[in-house]
Amino acid sequence: PEGPVHRVHLPGSGDAWLVEGWEVAREALADARLCNDIRYSTSWESDGGHALGRNMLQSDPPRHTRLRRLVAGRFSGGRIDALRPRVEEIAGELVAALPRQGTADIVGRYALPLPVTVICELLGVPAEERDGFHVWSNELVMPTSPESAAAAGTALTTCLTELTGRGGTLLGDLAEELDGEELLGMAFLLLVAGHETTVHLISATLHGLLSHQDQLALLRADPGLTEAAVEEALRHSSPVHTTAFRFAAEPLELAGVQIAAGDAVLVSLAAASRDPLRFPDPDRFDITRRTTGHLGFGHGLHHCLGAPLARMEASVAVRLLLRDRPELAFATDPAELTWRTGTLLRGLAELPLRIG
């Protein structure tokens, strides 16, 4: 296909327009005529099966504005700064539990449990329920089969319904402000979005550095570049490949392409962040690059609410691990690593590293 906007067919989801160029992606993400509510889709028939979907990500103003305002203060820069000592404590405990020599899967032993623990503590999920919650959420965002995804949705709905009925937690507080479907959607979005992408961001940053020893050497010489390394990983190996589906509320034009009312549109954040017209030599991993404007966290009304938390967690995770395990190296051929892919997310299933 030619041009930054073209038709694609997605098995199980049908036809859609895919937006790839950086400039038109930003334009699309800020266009109020492209709505997130599935009821604008020509293929929409009923709300059946969408109980988990009544959330900010699949809503438009004024509902989106009201829902976001209820939780935005919990993810402000000041709140995230106050969380840093606890995140450092959790990361430190996880690093200490890694072997001093031999190999370890850094996804399962480190990149995953850190953000899972943080978001579950924030929302009041008991420790004994966290493993199951992650398995279900992982299946929903990167399904292995329609049947498995449906079963995970049912299990997660049951878990979240019980969780939102408990007092003294963020979700319990929100129960006074939201109806049942909105509360379930909020719980789902905060729990899943609150850790899935961060797992992949931590492992992608480590993978990028270990794959580019010159960049790793730069970071070791100047640990102050850790935040820059995370930003480059967001641009170079975006954990969120595309946005959720958006639907044209009326006919519109993108980059000279006519989009009909009701058509589905996907914006590729990963492709936009590797647009050579915006980022020279975009396939090169360079932690000294000027990454301003990358779309790793989206753009516009739906810019990721948890971006400050994800950035902080990833920076803490990378800095502590490289400091305390200076001999890190790939334990297997990097070309043989398995990347879990889906329309929405991309991330390493495992990252086996040689510790010492």
Side-chain angles (χ1 to χ4, degrees), residues 98-135:
L98 293 172
R100 280 288 163 188
Q101 293 188 343
T103 65
D105 169 28
I106 294 299
V107 172
R109 298 282 299 271
Y110 190 63
L112 170 62
L114 174 60
V116 166
T117 302
V118 172
I119 197 64
C120 285
E121 286 189 358
L122 276 175
L123 300 183
V125 181
E128 63 271 15
E129 297 177 12
R130 293 171 190 173
D131 289 345
F133 138 69
H134 170 70
V135 171

Side-chain angles (χ1 to χ4, degrees), residues 128-198:
E128 63 271 15
E129 297 177 12
R130 293 171 190 173
D131 289 345
F133 138 69
H134 170 70
V135 171
W136 299 325
S137 69
N138 198 254
E139 181 62 39
L140 283 170
V141 296
M142 290 188 287
T144 55
S145 74
E147 295 77 18
S148 295
T154 300
L156 190 57
T157 298
T158 301
C159 176
L160 293 178
T161 300
E162 179 185 342
L163 187 63
T164 54
R166 299 172 184 165
T169 66
L170 169 57
L171 295 178
D173 294 344
L174 289 172
E176 301 177 8
E177 306 281 350
L178 304 172
D179 64 36
E181 199 173 63
E182 288 177 338
L183 184 60
L184 189 59
M186 182 71 82
F188 167 72
L189 184 64
L190 292 179
L191 282 166
V192 174
H195 86 279
E196 287 284 357
T197 53
T198 307

Side-chain angles (χ1 to χ4, degrees), residues 78-317:
R79 288 287 188 98
I80 300 309
D81 286 343
L83 277 176
R84 182 182 291 271
R86 176 56 182 149
V87 173
E88 291 176 339
E89 182 181 11
I90 296 166
E93 291 171 354
L94 291 168
V95 170
L98 293 172
R100 280 288 163 188
Q101 293 188 343
T103 65
D105 169 28
I106 294 299
V107 172
R109 298 282 299 271
Y110 190 63
L112 170 62
L114 174 60
V116 166
T117 302
V118 172
I119 197 64
C120 285
E121 286 189 358
L122 276 175
L123 300 183
V125 181
E128 63 271 15
E129 297 177 12
R130 293 171 190 173
D131 289 345
F133 138 69
H134 170 70
V135 171
W136 299 325
S137 69
N138 198 254
E139 181 62 39
L140 283 170
V141 296
M142 290 188 287
T144 55
S145 74
E147 295 77 18
S148 295
T154 300
L156 190 57
T157 298
T158 301
C159 176
L160 293 178
T161 300
E162 179 185 342
L163 187 63
T164 54
R166 299 172 184 165
T169 66
L170 169 57
L171 295 178
D173 294 344
L174 289 172
E176 301 177 8
E177 306 281 350
L178 304 172
D179 64 36
E181 199 173 63
E182 288 177 338
L183 184 60
L184 189 59
M186 182 71 82
F188 167 72
L189 184 64
L190 292 179
L191 282 166
V192 174
H195 86 279
E196 287 284 357
T197 53
T198 307
V199 175
H200 301 322
L201 175 56
I202 293 169
S203 55
T205 306
L206 292 168
H207 179 274
L209 289 166
L210 292 170
S211 299
H212 301 80
Q213 289 292 317
D214 60 327
Q215 300 302 301
L216 181 58
L218 282 175
L219 182 57
R220 289 200 184 283
D222 181 6
L225 288 170
T226 304
E227 284 77 12
V230 170
E231 292 302 311
E232 176 65 345
L234 280 163
R235 184 204 67 81
H236 181 271
S237 303
S238 179
V240 182
H241 251 203
T242 67
T243 59
F245 280 105
R246 302 196 176 192
F247 307 96
E250 61 185 74
L252 58 100
E253 181 180 303
L254 285 175
V257 175
Q258 299 299 319
I259 311 292
D263 278 1
V265 176
L266 282 172
V267 180
S268 175
L269 306 179
S273 290
R274 286 207 190 190
D275 185 340
L277 297 179
R278 172 69 185 187
F279 302 102
D281 196 7
D283 297 336
R284 179 170 53 89
F285 186 84
D286 178 4
I287 66 173
T288 66
R289 178 194 299 275
R290 185 174 180 270
T291 56
T292 306
H294 75 71
L295 298 181
F297 287 121
H299 174 67
L301 281 178
H302 291 275
H303 181 271
C304 178
L305 181 70
L309 178 59
R311 284 184 163 113
M312 184 267 283
E313 288 180 305
S315 297
V316 167

